[in-house]
Amino acid sequence: MLITIDNLLDQRMLKAVREMLDKADFVDGKLSAGKEARSVKNNEELSLQSPLHQKLNQLVMGSLVQNKQYQNAALPLKLATAFYARYTPGMTYGFHVDDPIMGPMTGRYRTDISTTVFLSDKSEYEGGELLIKSEFGEHKVKLSAGSAVVYPSRSLHKVAEVTSGVRLVAVTWAQSLVKSNEQRELLYDLSIARDKLIADMPQSDETGRVSRTYANLLRMWSEV
Ligand code: NI
């Protein structure tokens, strides 16, 4: 399942994030890459030592965890600290799958879901599409500034070469309460139906049945 979240960040937040990143120090992205990714990764990342991380995460990660659509699609159990990546002309990130396990030895987590938050607008750069392979073919994703794409971490994906301008993104990962992509997708569809029923006919027997089924499937399938 691949979903996009429009306007995850509002204009005010986006402006604050951009102002911070404009004066930030970026380092070679290979420093944070796993074995497979290192050979295909050619970008820059905000240094993990940067004091800006905390402020940026308050805005970007804070918005993500509070977003209803993200909550229902990802059912997050553990969330990674975001990376802030910059691609200038000639930079690219070839096909790879994200590392399956991330985090320090004291707090490791499995990556079930990858998220990219677009921080520069699609009009600000040429190229730089996120290409995600799925069983139904290849998806080309290039969103407005402030919007995000959420997709299974197991998918093969790449960032096409940026040919002009600057592409800024935040990327992060989550371990989901529900490991199976198929089960998570069923729960996401059911959550949309449940929310509509609760809004339209809160007292009905059908609403109660769908709502209980959602709750009990989540109980059956989740691991904490
Ligand atoms: Ni990746």
Side-chain angles (χ1 to χ4, degrees):
M1 177 173 67
L2 180 156
I3 66 155
T4 56
I5 303 174
D6 295 333
N7 305 314
L8 175 74
L9 303 177
D10 62 28
Q11 288 305 314
R12 185 184 55 85
M13 287 178 182
L14 203 52
K15 188 165 175 273
V17 167
R18 289 292 296 268
E19 279 171 5
M20 279 188 258
L21 290 178
D22 280 350
K23 54 186 180 205
D25 285 332
F26 282 80
V27 296
D28 188 344
K30 280 189 183 5
L31 295 170
S32 69
K35 270 197 192 104
E36 186 214 355
R38 199 167 302 144
S39 62
V40 291
K41 189 174 185 183
N42 173 18
N43 67 2
E44 297 172 314
E45 281 167 359
L46 180 65
S47 163
L48 283 175
Q49 276 78 46
S50 170
L52 291 175
H53 264 281
Q54 205 184 344
K55 281 185 186 162
L56 285 165
N57 284 338
Q58 273 169 8
L59 290 170
V60 176
M61 299 302 286
S63 300
L64 193 63
V65 294
Q66 285 168 32
N67 183 275
K68 272 264 169 267
Q69 202 186 347
Y70 181 75
Q71 288 172 2
N72 286 332
L75 299 167
L77 172 65
K78 295 178 185 172
L79 270 178
T81 307
F83 281 80
Y84 296 86
R86 181 168 74 182
Y87 293 76
T88 54
M91 289 187 177
T92 174
Y93 195 161
F95 272 117
H96 65 282
V97 293
D98 294 337
D99 284 350
I101 307 290
M102 293 192 192
M105 286 308 275
T106 48
R108 308 190 92 186
Y109 54 90
R110 186 183 65 233
T111 54
D112 295 320
I113 293 158
S114 301
T115 302
T116 298
V117 185
F118 290 78
L119 300 175
S120 37
D121 198 64
K122 54 189 171 187
S123 62
E124 293 179 86
Y125 57 97
E126 299 285 333
E129 296 86 0
L130 176 61
L131 300 167
I132 304 168
K133 287 195 181 184
S134 79
E135 56 188 311
F136 305 114
E138 204 169 87
H139 304 267
K140 218 183 230 192
V141 186
K142 188 172 180 178
L143 303 177
S144 307
S147 296
V149 60
V150 180
Y151 59 98
S153 299
R154 69 175 183 191
S155 340
L156 199 56
H157 58 278
K158 73 175 268 187
V159 177
E161 184 178 327
V162 169
T163 53
S164 72
V166 177
R167 175 188 192 265
L168 285 169
V169 290
V171 290
T172 187
W173 298 268
Q175 177 173 333
S176 179
L177 288 161
V178 176
K179 182 179 179 183
S180 155
N181 287 300
E182 288 73 21
Q183 290 173 341
R184 215 184 306 115
E185 190 165 354
L186 292 172
L187 286 170
Y188 181 62
D189 280 347
L190 196 55
S191 76
I192 292 170
R194 176 204 56 182
D195 291 350
K196 179 86 170 87
L197 284 170
I198 288 172
D200 290 354
M201 31 196 241
Q203 304 301 332
S204 83
D205 178 52
E206 290 80 1
T207 302
R209 285 173 189 269
V210 168
S211 197
R212 284 196 301 278
T213 301
Y214 177 82
N216 288 331
L217 280 175
L218 181 56
R219 196 188 326 274
M220 189 186 294
W221 289 340
S222 60
E223 339 156 349
V224 289

